[in-house]
């Protein structure tokens, strides 16, 4: 096939390697690439073959005296692929080991570390040889014995790695090989290893298997979704410049095939997408919003799309991140909202006297309501406050009859019908006092907004709604979202969440909120951020707990995997806080010395008080610090050391995460735990605290360091 059009593509690996270079070198690479795009066949570029290399089409191009770009440059044609950039010797060593070719079955362009593959195959052969000395009854069949070579290649396995894949006979051997496999095939292999048949896996991970593959047609290969997970075709200098100026944001561009399959399709109703920390749920959600907006614009439809998440700070982060992947036209029809804030503005626009109350106003209302208490029940105020929040508000109880009939799931104090009748006057009085002051609980406000929308066809509605952090939304939120988007229709609701990261709300059954997801439930299984060592540790924090799947079932985390490996989380105890601080300071100084910046290092703690104290201490030690507060997003260009509460780091990621002060008073937070009225409430609070630590640890891409002085948290005791 003749490829006449000049095409320049850049690999994901290229951006990762570029990000490791000093700023001065990155600037030279940017200048080089701009000239390269103009004429990649220029004689002045001086392509050099890699002596002893595995792929004759992989060559080196000089950037300056020290830096080399590794390029797949064709003997014929006009498709050039930038693969890697590094110092001279390191670049040549990388290139020598690898090939870049089109998979003859899947049609994807793939980079394969051939030497590592050969070593993996040799290891597997040696392992099989050792097992041959045992009896036949001791031998274990390959995990993939039922799959043909063609089928394995269709899900993305490079042909050169087929022998190594076939040698995998247990989970451990597969985990050892994963590091050398293209990311596009990992999910399929994990599904097969977990017991799915090959037809199910092909249906799940292969987007388009039609058409004969021409292995010489690299341009067509680059257009395949599997290739888009690793390569991006540069269409103009502005796009390239934007990516080069912020290479740490490259993850927002590259979607893995399983992610792209979820994004680029029309769904006939609501979708629920589950995924553990680091699986790219939010990335998928953002790209889904962009895809819907782009589709609307192409069709001349300017109906608005809502993107909502649970907290104000996450909404701010999402809004900023969407600007990196969306055009100005797309951004105009994507409405990013913190749902509680949207409700408040909506009700005010309808003329309702709604205002947010502070703690003093809330206390005053409760003081008035508790005058109606039946003291013979011997229930303290803490019980009434939790019953109001967890039962009355959570279930939308507007009358005594509602309260009598509602199921009190997760409440430790049993109440018969007569007791509920005697309790209700307190809640009735509280409702009356709130209204007199123009005060609304968030749940009440959302219920009122939903009713107004249902009664009028003129009020604001959305064509589609994307929900991030769905595990933290309550019943009133989902019922409001259903009202906002109308009756079930194509692409109406796209809900992503992770029950293991529920740090705010309680379990919700989507089906009870008029949101039907049967047949449209999916799961992301591959962690692209956190090392397997950190993921295992953070998952162990949740051991023994049961989590829901957002629709009345239970959720398992046994099928999650990470593609990355690194050090085990470091847990270190000290006799006193002074020694703990000295260790923290010394370790962070070392990171700063090695990396020249602390912008990807974060210290997180349970409370604002702890963060403010640490901030003062670290400033005294000479560190430039930045506290990431609730109302602003992080600024990657700031090289300061980051500090944030465990709640605030949700949705963020850093190379290193430090969790100091993790003693038994901080996790679970003793001050809040002691206020719980019964053991059931305490158990639920402890579960959220464990989830909070899980969230904090999984923000780390490379390293987690946990310290304490005195008695450690029960969550980290061996």
């Amino acid at each position: 096939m003749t490829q006449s059009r000049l095409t320049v593509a850049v690999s994901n690996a290229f951006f990762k390697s570029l990000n490791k270079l000093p700023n001065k070198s990155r600037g030279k690479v940017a200048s080089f690439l701009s000239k390269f795009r103009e004429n990649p066949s220029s004689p002045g570029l001086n392509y050099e073959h890699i002596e002893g290399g595995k792929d004759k089409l992989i060559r080196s191009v000089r950037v300056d005296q020290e830096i080399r770009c590794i390029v797949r440059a064709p003997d014929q044609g006009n498709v050039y692929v930038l693969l890697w950039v590094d110092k001279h010797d390191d670049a040549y060593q990388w290139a020598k080991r690898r090939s870049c070719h089109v998979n003859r079955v899947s049609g994807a362009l793939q980079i394969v570390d051939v030497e590592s593959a050969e070593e993996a195959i040799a290891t597997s052969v040696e392992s099989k040889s050792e097992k041959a000395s045992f009896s036949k009854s001791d031998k274990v069949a390959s995990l993939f014995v039922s799959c043909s070579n063609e089928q394995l290649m269709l899900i993305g396995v490079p042909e050169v790695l087929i022998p190594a894949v076939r040698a995998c006979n247990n989970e451990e051997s597969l985990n050892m090989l994963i590091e050398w496999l293209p990311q596009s095939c990992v999910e399929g292999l994990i599904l097969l290893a977990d017991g799915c048949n090959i037809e199910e896996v092909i249906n799940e991970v292969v987007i388009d298997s039609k058409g004969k593959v021409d292995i010489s047609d690299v341009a067509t290969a680059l257009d395949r979704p599997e290739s888009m997970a690793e390569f991006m075709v540069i269409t103009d200098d502005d796009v390239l410049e934007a990516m080069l100026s912020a290479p740490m944001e490259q993850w927002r561009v590259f979607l893995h095939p399983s992610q792209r399959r979820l994004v680029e399709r029309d769904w006939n109703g609501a979708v629920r997408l589950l995924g553990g920390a680091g699986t790219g749920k939010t990335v998928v959600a953002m790209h889904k919003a962009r895809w819907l907006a782009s589709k609307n614009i192409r069709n001349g439809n300017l109906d608005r799309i809502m993107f909502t998440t649970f907290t104000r700070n996450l909404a701010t982060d999402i809004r900023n991140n969407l600007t990196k992947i969306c055009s100005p036209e797309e951004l105009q029809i994507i409405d990013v909202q913190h749902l509680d804030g949207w409700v408040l503005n909506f009700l005010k626009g309808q003329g309702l006297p709604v205002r947010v109350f502070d703690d003093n106003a809330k206390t005053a209302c409760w003081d008035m309501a508790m005058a109606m208490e039946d003291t013979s029940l011997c229930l303290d105020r803490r019980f009434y406050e939790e019953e109001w929040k967890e039962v009355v508000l959570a279930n939308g109880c507007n009358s005594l009859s509602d309260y009598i009939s509602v199921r009190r799931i997760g409440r430790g104090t049993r109440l018969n019908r007569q007791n509920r009748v005697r309790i209700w006057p307190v809640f009735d009085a509280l409702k009356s006092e709130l209204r007199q002051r123009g005060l609304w609980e968030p749940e009440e406000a959302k219920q009122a907004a939903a009713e107004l929308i249902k009664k009028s066809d003129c009020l604001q509605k959305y064509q589609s709604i994307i929900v991030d952090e769905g595990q933290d939304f309550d019943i009133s939120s989902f019922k409001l979202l259903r009202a906002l988007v109308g009756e079930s229709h194509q692409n109406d609701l796209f809900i992503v969440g992770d029950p293991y990261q529920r740090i705010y709300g309680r379990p919700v059954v989507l089906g009870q909120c008029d949101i039907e997801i049967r047949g449209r439930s999916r799961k992301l299984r591959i962690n692209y951020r956190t090392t397997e060592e950190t993921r295992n540790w953070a998952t162990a924090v949740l051991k023994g707990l049961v989590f829901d799947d957002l629709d009345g079932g239970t959720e398992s985390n046994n099928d999650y995997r990470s593609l990355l490996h690194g050090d085990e989380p470091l847990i270190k105890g000290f006799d006193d806080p002074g020694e703990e601080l000295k260790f923290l300071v010394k370790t962070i100084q070392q990171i700063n010395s090695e990396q020249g910046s602390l912008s990807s290092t974060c210290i997180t703690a349970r409370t604002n008080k702890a963060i403010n104290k640490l901030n003062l201490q670290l400033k005294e030690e000479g560190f430039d610090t930045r506290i990431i507060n609730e109302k602003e997003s992080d600024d990657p260009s700031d090289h300061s050391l980051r500090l944030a509460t465990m709640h605030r780091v949700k949705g963020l990621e850093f190379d290193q995460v430090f969790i100091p002060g993790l003693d038994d008073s901080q996790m679970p937070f003793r001050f809040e735990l002691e206020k719980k009225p019964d053991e059931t409430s305490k158990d639920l609070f402890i579960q959220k605290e464990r989830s909070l630590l899980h969230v904090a640890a999984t923000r780390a891409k490379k390293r987690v360091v946990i310290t304490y002085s005195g008695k450690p948290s029960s969550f980290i005791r061996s």
Side-chain angles (χ1 to χ4, degrees), residues 522-540:
R522 298 293 187 271
K523 189 172 184 178
L524 295 172
R525 296 173 175 84
I526 307 301
N527 185 320
Y528 300 104
R529 175 179 67 222
T530 305
T531 66
E532 183 69 1
E533 291 75 14
T534 295
R535 190 196 67 80
N536 281 333
W537 185 89
T539 300

Side-chain angles (χ1 to χ4, degrees), residues 3 31 53 183 235 290 294 310 327 349 392 404 466 477 541 550 554 675:
Q3 298 165 337
S31 298
Q183 293 184 4
T235 55
R290 186 208 62 79
S294 177
F310 186 74
S327 69
V392 178
I404 289 174
I466 314 295
S477 296
V541 170
L550 308 187
T554 57
K675 294 193 303 183

